[in-house]
C-alpha cells in the first residue's frame, strides 16, 4: 500500500528554500507578505504569553524578515503590557520590504545590538537570523547569543542553526521554545540543531497546504500518520504462510545478534522465521530459540538451498555474521536470490574494500541499515567523498545504491532511491545499547516479509523501535524491545480505527 499523500504532507519538512517558495506562492496568490509577517509575529507573541507571565523582555531583531517577525511580536507584547526592550542588528534605515513595514509599526526605542541590551531581561526573543543562513555567525551577534542566560524563544529556528542541515553556523544559543511557521525544517530534527530548539511549535500563518503541490517536497518527519495504513493487519482468514517467511542468516560466534533479530521478526508479525545456523553453533541456536525454526548450514551450498525455497521471501544477513570472505560470499548468495533483503552490520563491513562489487549487486528490494561507521566505510571513500548533512549523505547513498538506506543514530534518516526521505525523532537516549540495532534489523525484515514496501518498512520499523524503547524506559536492554511491541502496535492500530 502506498503512502497516503495528505498524511505525508502533514509531516513534510521544508528546507529554507522550499519555505521561501511557499511564501512566494502564497503572496502570488493574493496574500500580502506583511500579512504573513503579522501572523508570524502574532504567533510568537501568543506562544510567549501562554507560557510565561509578564516580565522584562528583550527582543533581538535581525536585518531580514526574521527580524520583521520580531518587530511584530515586540509591538504586540508591548501592547499587552510587557516591558519590551528591542535591539536591532544593523541600521533601521537599511531594512527593506515587509521588514521595514513591520519596523514602522514599532514606536518604542531601538537599540543597537550589544550585550548591554540583555541587562535586566528575564526573557529573550531571538529574531536575529532565520533558517537560511548564508554564512557563519561571528562578531557582535555571536557575542550576544553567547551571553543569553535566561529562557529564549527562537523565531523559526535558533539563530545560528542551519534550517536545512541542523548544523551550528558559528554560534547559537539554546532555546526553551522555538516557534516556526507552516511546516518544520529538517534542521529542527537533525542533530545538533534539534538539541538547540527546545519545544518546537508550528504555527499556521495563512499558507494553504495546497502550495505543497507546486513544491513537491520529498522529506518528512517519520510518523505513523503516513505509513500506518501500510502496516499489515491480519484478517480472520490469515494464517502463518500468508504472513511471510523471514530467513535470518546467523553467525558462528556472536549468536546473540541473530537471535535478537529473529525474535523481533517473529514478534512484529512474520508468519514464520528461520535462522540459518552454521553447524558449529547449531546447538546454541536450537536450544535458545522457541517459536523460531533453526536450520543447520554446513556451508554456502546449504544456505543457497534455503534461499531456493520461494516461500522464504525475505532475508536478513549481517548481525553477528563476522566480517570476512565467508560473509561476503553469503551476501552475494542472498543478493543473487533477489528476495526482499536487509543488509546490516558485518554484511556491510565485509565490503568496505569492495564497494563497487557490493553496490552493483544491490536491487530495489534491499534495505541497508548502517550506523555512521559502517556507512562511512561503505560509501565515503576516495573518489566518492560524502560531504554534507546526514540527510544529504543518506539520500545520495540511496540514489547511488538503488536501495533504501537507514542511517542510524538519534536522528536516524531513512532514504529511498527516488529521493524520498524521513527523519526519525522518537528514539530515546537509552536506546543506545548493545543489540538494539539487531532488533531493528529484525523488525525491518519482518515487515518486508509481510509485503510492506522497503521505504515504508524501514520507516515504520524505525519508529516502532523508538516507541518500544520509550515504553520500556530507562534501564532498557535490547532483549526488552520485542516484548514492548504489542502495546506499541495496539496504540498504532487503535489510532487507525479512530480514523487516524
Amino acid at each position: 500500500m502506498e503512502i497516503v499523500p495528505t498524511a505525508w504532507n502533514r509531516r513534510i519538512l521544508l528546507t529554507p528554500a522550499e519555505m521561501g517558495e511557499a511564501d512566494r506562492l502564497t503572496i502570488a496568490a493574493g496574500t500580502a507578505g506583511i500579512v504573513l509577517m503579522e501572523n508570524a509575529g502574532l504567533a510568537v507573541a501568543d506562544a510567549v504569553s501562554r507560557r510565561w507571565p509578564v516580565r522584562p523582555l528583550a527582543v533581538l531583531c535581525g536585518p531580514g524578515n526574521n527580524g520583521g517577525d520580531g518587530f511584530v511580536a515586540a509591538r504586540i507584547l508591548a501592547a499587552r503590557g510587557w516591558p519590551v526592550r528591542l535591539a536591532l542588528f544593523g541600521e533601521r534605515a537599511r531594512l527593506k520590504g515587509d521588514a521595514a513595514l513591520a519596523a514602522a509599526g514599532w514606536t518604542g526605542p531601538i537599540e543597537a545590538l550589544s550585550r548591554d541590551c540583555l541587562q535586566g531581561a528575564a526573557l529573550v526573543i531571538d529574531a536575529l537570523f532565520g533558517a537560511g543562513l548564508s554564512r557563519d555567525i561571528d562578531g557582535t551577534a555571536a557575542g550576544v547569543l553567547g551571553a543569553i542566560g535566561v529562557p529564549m524563544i527562537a523565531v523559526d529556528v535558533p539563530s545560528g542553526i542551519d534550517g536545512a542541515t541542523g548544523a551550528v553556523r558559528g554560534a547559537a544559543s539554546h532555546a526553551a521554545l522555538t516557534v516556526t511557521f507552516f511546516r518544520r525544517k529538517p534542521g529542527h530534527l537533525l542533530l545538533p540543531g534539534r538539541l538547540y530548539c527546545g519545544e518546537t511549535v508550528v504555527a499556521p500563518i495563512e499558507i494553504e497546504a495546497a502550495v505543497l503541490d507546486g513544491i513537491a517536497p520529498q522529506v518528512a518527519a517519520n510518523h505513523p500518520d503516513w505509513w500506518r495504513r501500510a502496516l499489515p493487519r491480519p484478517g480472520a482468514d490469515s494464517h502463518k504462510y500468508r504472513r511471510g517467511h523471514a530467513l535470518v542468516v546467523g553467525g558462528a560466534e556472536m549468536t546473540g545478534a541473530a537471535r535478537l533479530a529473529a525474535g523481533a521478526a517473529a514478534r512484529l508479525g512474520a508468519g514464520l522465521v528461520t535462522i540459518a545456523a552454521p553447524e558449529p553453533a547449531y546447538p546454541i541456536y536450537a536450544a535458545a530459540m522457541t517459536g523460531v525454526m533453526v536450520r543447520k548450514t554446513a556451508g554456502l551450498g546449504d544456505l543457497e538451498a534455503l534461499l531456493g525455497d520461494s516461500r522464504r521471501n525475505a532475508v536478513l544477513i549481517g548481525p553477528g555474521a563476522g566480517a570476512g570472505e565467508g560473509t561476503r560470499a553469503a551476501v552475494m548468495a542472498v543478493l543473487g536470490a533477489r528476495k526482499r533483503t536487509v543488509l546490516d552490520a558485518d554484511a556491510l563491513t565485509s565490503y568496505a574494500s569492495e564497494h563497487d562489487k557490493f553496490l552493483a549487486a544491490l536491487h530495489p528490494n534491499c534495505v541497508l541499515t548502517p550506523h555512521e561507521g559502517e556507512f562511512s566505510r561503505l560509501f565515503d571513500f576516495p573518489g566518492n567523498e560524502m560531504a554534507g548533512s546526514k540527510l544529504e549523505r543518506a539520500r545520495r547513498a540511496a540514489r547511488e545504491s538503488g536501495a533504501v538506506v537507514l542511517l542510524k543514530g538519534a536522528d536516524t534518516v531513512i532514504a529511498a532511491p527516488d529521493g524520498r526521505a524521513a527523519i526519525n525523532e522518537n528514539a530515546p537516549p537509552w536506546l543506545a545499547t548493545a543489540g538494539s540495532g539487531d532488533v531493528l534489523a529484525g523488525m525491518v525484515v519482518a515487515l518486508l516479509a509481510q509485503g510492506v514496501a522497503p521505504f515504508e518498512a524501514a520507516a515504520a520499523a524505525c519508529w516502532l523501535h523508538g516507541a518500544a524503547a520509550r515504553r520500556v524506559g530507562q534501564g532498557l536492554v535490547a532483549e526488552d524491545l520485542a516484548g514492548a511491541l504489542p502495546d506499541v502496535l495496539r496504540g498504532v492500530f487503535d489510532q487507525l480505527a479512530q480514523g487516524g
Side-chain angles (χ1 to χ4, degrees):
M1 182 177 289
E2 295 183 353
I3 288 172
V4 179
T6 54
W8 171 262
N9 283 346
R10 282 199 299 270
R11 299 292 170 175
I12 277 292
L13 305 172
L14 294 178
T15 66
E18 289 170 338
M19 186 62 206
E21 181 65 3
D23 285 339
R24 189 192 69 78
L25 291 171
T26 300
I27 293 168
T31 300
I34 189 61
V35 171
L36 299 180
M37 189 169 285
E38 285 285 335
N39 291 339
L42 175 61
V44 173
D46 285 347
V48 170
S49 296
R50 282 194 296 268
R51 287 165 175 78
W52 288 277
V54 173
R55 58 184 65 187
L57 170 69
V59 180
L60 314 180
C61 294
N65 284 346
N66 197 250
D69 298 340
F71 273 103
V72 174
R75 187 193 76 230
I76 293 171
L77 288 167
R80 292 176 181 176
W82 286 66
V84 177
R85 188 173 182 179
L86 188 146
L88 175 63
F89 184 57
E91 300 176 16
R92 180 172 185 167
R94 300 186 68 177
L95 296 176
K96 298 178 181 179
D98 296 325
L101 290 175
W106 170 254
T107 58
I110 298 176
E111 304 177 39
L113 184 73
S114 71
R115 296 190 185 197
D116 291 342
C117 68
L118 299 174
Q119 291 182 5
L123 203 65
V124 172
I125 292 178
D126 164 24
L128 286 171
F129 305 103
L133 281 176
S134 59
R135 64 180 182 86
D136 289 356
I137 294 177
D138 57 13
T140 298
V144 172
L145 289 173
I148 296 174
V150 296
M152 185 187 85
I153 300 89
V155 178
D156 195 20
V157 296
S159 290
I161 299 301
D162 189 310
T165 69
V168 177
R169 300 290 303 275
S173 185
H174 289 85
L177 172 69
T178 295
V179 182
T180 194
F181 314 109
F182 183 53
R183 295 292 187 273
R184 290 185 293 175
K185 317 294 187 300
H188 290 124
L189 276 67
L190 293 169
L191 296 178
R194 186 199 302 172
L195 303 178
Y196 283 80
C197 291
E199 178 191 0
T200 300
V201 298
V202 182
I205 56 171
E206 293 189 37
I207 298 177
E208 299 295 332
V211 303
L212 296 173
D213 295 337
I215 300 170
Q218 291 188 293
V219 181
N222 190 20
H223 192 276
D225 274 1
W226 56 263
W227 47 254
R228 193 190 322 266
R229 294 180 183 277
L231 287 180
R233 297 181 296 282
D237 60 345
S238 294
H239 52 74
K240 61 186 178 183
Y241 298 107
R242 287 185 179 174
R243 300 183 69 185
H245 188 161
L247 177 66
V248 177
V249 181
E253 296 181 7
M254 298 179 65
T255 63
R259 285 184 281 154
L260 284 169
R267 181 68 76 174
L268 198 52
L272 299 100
V273 181
T274 294
I275 293 178
E279 190 169 23
Y282 174 79
I284 298 173
Y285 285 109
M289 303 307 298
T290 55
V292 170
M293 296 178 285
V294 181
R295 296 290 298 271
K296 186 186 302 182
T297 56
L300 188 61
D302 288 345
L303 174 60
E304 290 173 336
L306 291 175
L307 292 168
D309 188 335
S310 61
R311 293 172 297 182
R312 297 188 180 98
N313 63 329
V315 186
L316 165 61
I317 183 168
E325 180 56 40
T327 297
R328 284 196 293 273
V331 167
M332 284 298 124
V334 168
L335 292 174
R338 307 294 289 184
K339 297 177 184 287
R340 291 171 168 240
T341 301
V342 180
L343 297 128
D344 183 46
D346 292 332
L348 306 174
T349 300
S350 292
Y351 277 94
S353 60
E354 297 185 33
H355 320 92
D356 292 345
K357 181 178 180 181
F358 178 79
L359 296 176
L362 296 174
H363 54 79
N365 281 323
C366 290
V367 177
L368 315 183
T369 57
H371 56 57
E372 284 283 358
E374 292 158 349
F375 181 92
S376 180
R377 288 190 288 272
L378 194 59
F379 290 105
D380 193 4
F381 53 88
N384 194 62
E385 287 78 6
M386 282 281 187
S389 70
K390 185 171 188 175
L391 174 61
E392 292 166 333
R393 291 183 292 116
R395 294 179 79 185
R396 178 178 162 188
R399 186 172 63 250
E400 290 182 357
S401 67
V404 169
V405 174
L406 188 159
L407 180 50
K408 293 184 286 195
D411 55 350
T412 294
V413 174
I414 307 101
D418 62 9
R420 291 176 299 161
I423 304 174
N424 201 66
E425 58 178 325
N426 76 335
W430 50 88
L431 193 53
T433 186
S436 64
D438 304 315
V439 173
L440 175 59
M443 293 170 65
V444 178
V445 81
L447 294 177
L448 292 178
Q450 294 171 82
V452 181
F455 179 65
E456 290 87 332
C462 189
W463 189 92
L464 294 168
H465 188 248
R470 287 184 176 277
R471 184 64 59 99
V472 173
Q474 296 190 48
L476 171 146
V477 294
E479 291 91 331
D480 299 330
L481 289 165
L485 285 173
D487 282 345
V488 172
L489 288 167
R490 187 176 302 113
V492 170
F493 287 123
D494 283 351
Q495 189 67 35
L496 182 62
Q498 294 166 14

